[in-house]
Each structure stands twice: as C-alpha cells, then as structure tokens.
C-alpha cells in the first residue's frame, strides 16, 4: 500500500512539474503568452529572465524522472545524462534567480526569500554533485531529493498565488509570505521524508545477518 501511494505521489508531482515547465517554456519562446509582469521582466532583465524560466523549466522536467527509482535502475546511462542536464539547468536558473531576487516585487521580505531559495538550490545541487564524485551514493540521493524539493518551489508558488487571490488576500500581503512559503515547507518535508526512509533502512538492516549488513553498508556508501 505504501509503495502504491509513493507511486501515485510521484505521478502527481511529475504531472504538475511538467505543466509548470511547459508554461515556463511557453512564456520564454512565445512573447504573446507572457502576462504583463513577465513581459516587463523580459524587457528590463532579458538575460536573467531567460535563464530563470528556461533553466527552471529544464530542471523541473528532468529532475522529476531522476526521482523514479525504477527508471533510474533500468536506464542508468539516461539517469546520468539527465542528471548532468539537471545540474546545468539549476546552475543557470539559480544564478538567474540570485540576479532577479533583489528586484522582487513588494520589497525586502520577498527579495530575501527568493535570494535564500536561490542559494539553497545551488548549494544542495552542488553538494549532490560532490557526493556522487566521491561515490557517496546515499548522500548523493539525499541531496538530490532536497535539491528537487527546492525546484518544486516553482510549482508551489503557482498554487499559492492563485489560492491567495481566491481567498481575497491582497497581492502585496500574500507575495512576501509566498516567497518563503513556496520553498521552506518543501525542504522541511524532504528532510522528514529522508529521515523516515533512513529509519526504515536502518530497521531493515538490523534484521539482516552481519555479512549481508556489511554488504548493504558498502552499497549505500
């Protein structure tokens, strides 16, 4: 039952990520689709806007498939290729986000929220790369989960903004809060998920004979 729920959750996450990625590509390559705020952003800071939307879109689309264990184990070469693409996309999107953050609407609270998101996004991805270069597979997996949880801020942002409008909350009140709400809970949920998974793995390992336990530890490292 738990496996089915995880599979269902992955499908929901992937569909939402691909929809937001498609939106990011659409407003990047079709100017007529851009809402007024995005049109102004491209007019004032075109390079950063391109990096933000295209880099973020590619990261959303590729990162979702990296979290599917079945696909990862079956097509390891594809996993590595998508992983490299994801890292480049995060680097481009994260640097663009840092460039755009000081100019965020509604002031310093929103600007600091988006700036810390950009820094955390770059940092978790860099730590994932460092871990895989050291062949620390478990650590790499954990940092990638955290990295993609931050990538999904693009999805949660687009859920919270219209929800706040439906609730009748002023944009100037909602936007600074959403600048933090779109990513901090994502990261906390990722950490809780990883802790629960580690607890299950430790419990399962404790039931193995010593020889098999040592083999499992080597594989996780």
């Amino acid at each position: 039952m738990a496996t089915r729920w995880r599979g269902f959750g992955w499908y929901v996450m992937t569909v939402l990520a691909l929809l937001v990625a498609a939106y990011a590509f659409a407003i990047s390559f079709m100017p007529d689709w851009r809402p007024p705020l995005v049109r102004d952003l491209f007019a004032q800071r075109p390079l950063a806007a391109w990096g933000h939307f295209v880099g973020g879109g590619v990261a959303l689309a590729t990162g979702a498939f990296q979290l599917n264990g079945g696909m990862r184990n079956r097509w390891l070469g594809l996993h590595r290729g998508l992983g490299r693409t994801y890292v480049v996309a995060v680097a481009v999107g994260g640097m663009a986000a840092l460039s755009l953050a000081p100019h965020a609407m509604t002031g310093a609270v929103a600007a600091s929220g988006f700036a810390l998101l950009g820094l955390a996004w770059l940092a978790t991805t860099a730590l994932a790369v460092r871990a895989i270069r050291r062949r620390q597979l478990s650590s790499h997996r954990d940092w990638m989960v955290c990295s993609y949880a931050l990538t999904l801020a693009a999805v949660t942002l687009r859920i919270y903004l219209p929800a706040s409008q439906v609730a009748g909350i002023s944009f100037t009140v909602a936007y600074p809060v959403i600048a933090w709400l779109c990513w901090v809970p994502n990261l906390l949920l990722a950490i809780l998920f990883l802790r629960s998974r580690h607890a299950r793995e430790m419990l399962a390992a404790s039931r193995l004979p010593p020889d098999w336990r040592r083999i499992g530890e080597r594989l996780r490292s």
Side-chain angles (χ1 to χ4, degrees):
M1 181 64 70
T3 302
R4 289 183 180 179
W5 275 111
R6 285 197 296 271
F8 175 74
W10 179 84
Y11 280 112
V12 171
M13 177 198 72
T14 301
V15 168
L16 292 175
L18 292 178
L19 287 173
V20 175
Y23 169 76
F25 296 143
I27 61 177
S28 296
F29 297 103
M30 291 182 281
D32 292 340
W33 285 41
R34 295 171 186 168
L37 292 176
V38 176
R39 195 177 301 124
D40 292 343
L41 187 64
F42 272 91
Q44 296 168 8
R45 299 173 183 85
L47 186 60
W50 274 96
H52 177 63
F53 287 106
V54 175
V58 172
L60 278 169
T62 57
F65 297 101
Q66 296 296 87
L67 298 185
N68 186 300
M71 296 178 63
R72 183 173 62 244
N73 295 331
R74 183 174 298 179
W75 296 298
L76 185 58
L78 178 62
H79 172 72
R80 289 170 177 167
L82 288 178
R84 294 186 183 100
T85 303
Y86 176 83
V87 169
V88 172
V90 171
V92 173
M95 295 303 295
L98 291 178
S99 175
L100 294 171
H103 310 285
M105 297 182 63
T106 70
V109 174
S112 58
F114 288 127
L116 283 176
L117 168 58
L119 288 172
W121 197 25
L122 290 168
T124 52
T125 307
L127 289 167
V129 171
R130 186 182 70 169
I132 197 61
R133 286 181 175 174
R134 295 179 175 181
R135 299 186 179 276
Q136 298 169 344
L137 301 183
S138 180
S139 179
H140 168 73
R141 180 187 61 185
D142 292 351
W143 284 118
M144 283 299 294
V145 168
C146 292
S147 172
Y148 196 67
L150 296 171
T151 304
L152 288 174
V155 175
T156 48
L157 175 73
R158 284 159 182 83
I159 293 174
Y160 296 145
L161 276 176
S164 67
Q165 294 173 357
V166 170
I169 303 173
S170 168
F171 178 83
T172 56
V173 173
Y175 196 67
V177 176
I178 292 172
W180 294 86
L181 189 64
C182 70
W183 66 274
V184 173
N186 291 10
L187 185 57
L188 293 176
L189 285 173
I191 292 170
L192 289 174
F193 166 76
L194 291 172
R195 286 188 175 182
S196 65
R197 185 169 66 182
H198 288 320
R200 291 194 302 270
E201 290 176 350
M202 290 176 64
L203 180 62
S206 68
R207 296 171 178 170
L208 293 173
D211 291 342
W212 284 101
R213 197 178 309 161
R214 283 194 292 271
I215 293 172
E217 289 171 355
R218 290 176 183 175
L219 289 174
R220 286 196 298 273
S221 64

Tab-separated table of all heavy atoms in Angstrom, residues 13 37 39 44 63 77 90 99 112-113 117 121 123 146 156 166 177 197-198 221:
chain	number	residue	atom	x	y	z
A	13	MET	N	3.250	14.592	-8.734
A	13	MET	CA	4.353	15.550	-8.736
A	13	MET	C	4.871	15.775	-10.151
A	13	MET	O	5.111	16.924	-10.566
A	13	MET	CB	5.488	15.024	-7.853
A	13	MET	CG	6.717	15.903	-7.833
A	13	MET	SD	8.192	15.020	-7.231
A	13	MET	CE	8.540	13.928	-8.639
A	37	LEU	N	3.406	41.235	-16.026
A	37	LEU	CA	4.562	41.240	-15.128
A	37	LEU	C	5.762	40.533	-15.761
A	37	LEU	O	6.901	40.996	-15.653
A	37	LEU	CB	4.204	40.575	-13.794
A	37	LEU	CG	3.207	41.331	-12.917
A	37	LEU	CD1	2.875	40.522	-11.669
A	37	LEU	CD2	3.756	42.695	-12.526
A	39	ARG	N	6.203	40.117	-18.989
A	39	ARG	CA	6.624	40.923	-20.130
A	39	ARG	C	7.576	42.027	-19.687
A	39	ARG	O	8.600	42.294	-20.339
A	39	ARG	CB	5.394	41.515	-20.815
A	39	ARG	CG	5.661	42.081	-22.212
A	39	ARG	CD	4.390	42.577	-22.852
A	39	ARG	NE	3.403	41.507	-22.962
A	39	ARG	CZ	2.182	41.572	-22.467
A	39	ARG	NH1	1.781	42.646	-21.806
A	39	ARG	NH2	1.348	40.573	-22.615
A	44	GLN	N	13.099	44.352	-19.026
A	44	GLN	CA	14.071	45.024	-18.169
A	44	GLN	C	15.328	44.187	-17.933
A	44	GLN	O	16.434	44.725	-17.868
A	44	GLN	CB	13.408	45.361	-16.827
A	44	GLN	CG	12.263	46.347	-16.943
A	44	GLN	CD	11.436	46.447	-15.673
A	44	GLN	OE1	11.800	45.879	-14.631
A	44	GLN	NE2	10.318	47.151	-15.731
A	63	GLY	N	14.373	16.716	-13.523
A	63	GLY	CA	14.529	16.269	-12.145
A	63	GLY	C	13.467	15.285	-11.706
A	63	GLY	O	13.747	14.377	-10.911
A	77	GLY	N	22.412	4.947	-17.793
A	77	GLY	CA	23.024	5.934	-18.683
A	77	GLY	C	22.137	7.147	-18.873
A	77	GLY	O	22.616	8.295	-18.864
A	90	VAL	N	20.043	23.894	-13.158
A	90	VAL	CA	19.982	24.522	-11.836
A	90	VAL	C	21.021	25.634	-11.727
A	90	VAL	O	20.741	26.704	-11.165
A	90	VAL	CB	20.183	23.480	-10.721
A	90	VAL	CG1	20.348	24.157	-9.365
A	90	VAL	CG2	19.010	22.514	-10.675
A	99	SER	N	20.178	36.913	-9.407
A	99	SER	CA	20.211	38.209	-10.079
A	99	SER	C	18.867	38.920	-10.005
A	99	SER	O	18.809	40.147	-9.864
A	99	SER	CB	20.620	38.013	-11.547
A	99	SER	OG	20.562	39.223	-12.260
A	112	SER	N	14.505	38.710	-0.002
A	112	SER	CA	15.350	37.821	0.804
A	112	SER	C	14.875	36.377	0.716
A	112	SER	O	15.686	35.441	0.703
A	112	SER	CB	15.362	38.284	2.264
A	112	SER	OG	14.043	38.312	2.804
A	113	GLY	N	13.562	36.160	0.625
A	113	GLY	CA	13.041	34.799	0.485
A	113	GLY	C	13.505	34.151	-0.797
A	113	GLY	O	13.979	33.006	-0.804
A	117	LEU	N	16.274	31.100	-1.385
A	117	LEU	CA	15.870	29.957	-2.200
A	117	LEU	C	16.925	29.667	-3.266
A	117	LEU	O	17.334	28.519	-3.462
A	117	LEU	CB	14.515	30.229	-2.855
A	117	LEU	CG	14.082	29.262	-3.962
A	117	LEU	CD1	14.021	27.823	-3.458
A	117	LEU	CD2	12.743	29.697	-4.548
A	121	TRP	N	19.139	26.310	-3.400
A	121	TRP	CA	19.003	25.496	-4.610
A	121	TRP	C	20.376	25.162	-5.187
A	121	TRP	O	20.680	24.013	-5.499
A	121	TRP	CB	18.166	26.269	-5.618
A	121	TRP	CG	17.591	25.487	-6.750
A	121	TRP	CD1	17.309	24.150	-6.776
A	121	TRP	CD2	17.206	26.006	-8.024
A	121	TRP	NE1	16.764	23.804	-7.989
A	121	TRP	CE2	16.686	24.919	-8.764
A	121	TRP	CE3	17.216	27.270	-8.592
A	121	TRP	CZ2	16.207	25.076	-10.074
A	121	TRP	CZ3	16.737	27.428	-9.881
A	121	TRP	CH2	16.246	26.350	-10.607
A	123	ALA	N	23.272	25.352	-3.565
A	123	ALA	CA	24.095	24.634	-2.585
A	123	ALA	C	23.744	23.154	-2.524
A	123	ALA	O	24.643	22.287	-2.520
A	123	ALA	CB	23.939	25.273	-1.212
A	146	CYS	N	16.586	16.898	-1.763
A	146	CYS	CA	16.458	18.262	-1.246
A	146	CYS	C	16.504	19.285	-2.372
A	146	CYS	O	15.739	20.264	-2.381
A	146	CYS	CB	17.565	18.551	-0.240
A	146	CYS	SG	17.426	17.610	1.299
A	156	THR	N	4.781	25.071	-6.296
A	156	THR	CA	4.003	25.531	-5.134
A	156	THR	C	3.726	27.034	-5.210
A	156	THR	O	2.670	27.495	-4.767
A	156	THR	CB	4.738	25.190	-3.829
A	156	THR	OG1	6.110	25.589	-3.926
A	156	THR	CG2	4.697	23.691	-3.569
A	166	VAL	N	-7.953	33.854	-4.711
A	166	VAL	CA	-9.303	33.324	-4.482
A	166	VAL	C	-9.752	33.624	-3.047
A	166	VAL	O	-10.931	33.921	-2.796
A	166	VAL	CB	-9.341	31.808	-4.758
A	166	VAL	CG1	-10.664	31.201	-4.293
A	166	VAL	CG2	-9.121	31.538	-6.245
A	177	VAL	N	4.911	36.605	1.814
A	177	VAL	CA	4.763	35.344	2.552
A	177	VAL	C	5.017	34.155	1.634
A	177	VAL	O	5.728	33.200	1.987
A	177	VAL	CB	3.358	35.254	3.180
A	177	VAL	CG1	3.171	33.902	3.876
A	177	VAL	CG2	3.137	36.398	4.153
A	197	ARG	N	12.811	7.497	5.767
A	197	ARG	CA	13.365	6.447	4.920
A	197	ARG	C	14.629	5.854	5.532
A	197	ARG	O	14.823	4.637	5.515
A	197	ARG	CB	13.668	6.997	3.519
A	197	ARG	CG	14.132	5.905	2.555
A	197	ARG	CD	14.179	6.380	1.137
A	197	ARG	NE	15.183	7.402	0.939
A	197	ARG	CZ	15.387	8.019	-0.233
A	197	ARG	NH1	14.624	7.719	-1.267
A	197	ARG	NH2	16.333	8.927	-0.352
A	198	HIS	N	15.482	6.717	6.092
A	198	HIS	CA	16.687	6.205	6.744
A	198	HIS	C	16.327	5.308	7.934
A	198	HIS	O	16.989	4.303	8.182
A	198	HIS	CB	17.567	7.361	7.208
A	198	HIS	CG	18.251	8.069	6.091
A	198	HIS	ND1	18.782	7.416	5.006
A	198	HIS	CD2	18.484	9.389	5.885
A	198	HIS	CE1	19.319	8.295	4.185
A	198	HIS	NE2	19.148	9.497	4.678
A	221	SER	N	27.175	3.489	0.755
A	221	SER	CA	28.246	4.469	0.761
A	221	SER	C	28.748	4.779	-0.646
A	221	SER	O	29.503	5.698	-0.835
A	221	SER	CB	29.408	3.962	1.614
A	221	SER	OG	29.976	2.788	1.029
